[in-house]
Amino acid sequence: MDNQSARSTTDIIERIQLATSRLRKVLGENRVSEKTHMYEITTFESNTKVSAIVFPETSQEVSQCIKIANEFKVSVYPVSGGKNYGLGSTVPNVSNSIILDLKLLNKIYDYNEALAHVTLEAGVSFKQLEQFLEDQGGKMIMDSIGSTPQASIIGNTVERGHGMGLYADRLDNVCAMQVVLPNGSIINTGFARYSENKVAKLSKWGLGPALDAIFTQSSFGIVTSLTMWLKPKPKYFQSIIIHAPSDEKMSFMIDKFRQMRLHGLNVSMRIFNDYRLVAFNNQYYRLKQESQDYLTQDDIDKIKPEGTGKWIGIGGLYSYSQLHARAEKEFIINSLKDHDLVIDIIDKEEADSRGERNPSVKEELDFFYYKSSFTGYTTDKAINMCYWRVPQNIPNQKDIHEDECGLFWYCPSIPCTGEDASIAVNKIKEISYKHSLEPNIGFLFISERALDITGAICFDKCNLEESKRAAQCHDEILESLCELGYPPYRLGIQSMQLFDKTEASSMDVLKKIKATLDPNNVLSSKRYNTF
């Protein structure tokens, strides 16, 4: 380190010390911590260092923290649930940041059953809201998540994460954000900008320029609360399970469900391959041969349960009445039959009957029907997948970070066509096998027109050589899919450089917004910006 760099580092440390001293006076000693270790851990190698953690309880306290950061020109990095697994967790993009942990902003209020909405703060988890809605009588449901129940709803929303049901495009179904700007000002979006109005939580955009989206995947502000739209608990829900024997049949299934949704059928669908299914319930070290670097498709075919397809679709059908439910079930079956697909559509009568005949399937029926994530319930079953290459048993109390799970997510968006899905899958398989890793692939119908790919690279984080291969595989998949016209819809701290692919004119506008709102560059430096 040269003298200038040493002086700069010393200056940063001094400013951080002054800032944390001031923060202790504002928040109290017990809400400022220098126990940073767990905030520096993610599911892949990272050398980023955190300086301190603060725990505000209100938007006003978040504002005070931001004003102090500006005074001393120190970087702050907000997190809420910290469950951004495979994309960075709580680790900032730059070292020497102070973490603003928003977990104490955990209030739920303004629940309105008639108009189907609820307002919540940044620290509220999916599990917390699930329990809240049950406590209100269980008449309304949220759109759930395919990841840990402890993830923050607002954290997932501002990263443009997706849900499971008809409100899968989460950002499309929230409004009335309260935002702390990088200068400490507090603003509201949409009609919430106007006092004494009755539609702030009912109508998304408000009057004039709409600001909501610029506070997602950005460093332009901290969303501390928002209103989330709900749906009535469906009376005539049916669970859909489909097994497709080949990539060709998977493509057919995608095209058919696109057509159904375009024509107005209320159906949601996720599709994933058999590698992912096996990873939910098994671990690599138990299955591989001694000299084997990865499991081939032939290996997976021998391992997976009999009757399992190469691709598995699970979804929900939401009908208005019993007559609609029967007709729509028949319509789906007729649309898909004679194409070697195994189709199972379960309604309440069928679920009850199976449970009575065979009580041992209770857990399976809970997952697929009674407590389905397609009807607002949460589950941590998918977390098992993160342990795929961990060389010891999955513990009863899972902790992805302490258990040193290795995981990268890659998240491209593709047109909702079977042809595009096949092109993406072939490229992902080619690159995964090249790096001796399993292609763990899923698709979500984010809309009638686009599919979100949720690609997982699971690896042994304690194996340096395997970790290096996983990072190379991740980078090559994203770059290759970009070249094919399939850009990512979400980035992790390991892939922010791909944001540079933004056209120059748009990047110039973003730079100007950042410079105006955050002239001292204190908020989430280098996150969804490289300027």
Side-chain angles (χ1 to χ4, degrees), residues 296-326:
T296 66
Q297 185 64 57
D298 286 343
D299 296 322
I300 294 294
D301 289 342
K302 295 171 185 174
I303 295 163
K304 66 188 182 185
E306 185 178 355
T308 301
K310 189 174 182 180
W311 292 90
I312 302 93
I314 61 171
L317 177 60
Y318 309 84
S319 302
Y320 184 71
S321 70
Q322 187 68 57
L323 287 175
H324 285 87
R326 289 171 181 163

Side-chain angles (χ1 to χ4, degrees), residues 322-333:
Q322 187 68 57
L323 287 175
H324 285 87
R326 289 171 181 163
E328 288 166 353
K329 175 180 178 178
E330 184 177 354
F331 173 74
I332 290 175
I333 291 172

Side-chain angles (χ1 to χ4, degrees), residues 392-411:
Q392 60 258 0
N393 293 347
I394 301 174
N396 291 328
Q397 296 296 320
K398 296 186 280 286
D399 188 309
I400 299 301
H401 297 131
E402 286 192 356
D403 299 333
E404 297 191 290
C405 296
L407 174 68
F408 287 113
W409 281 111
Y410 54 90
C411 308

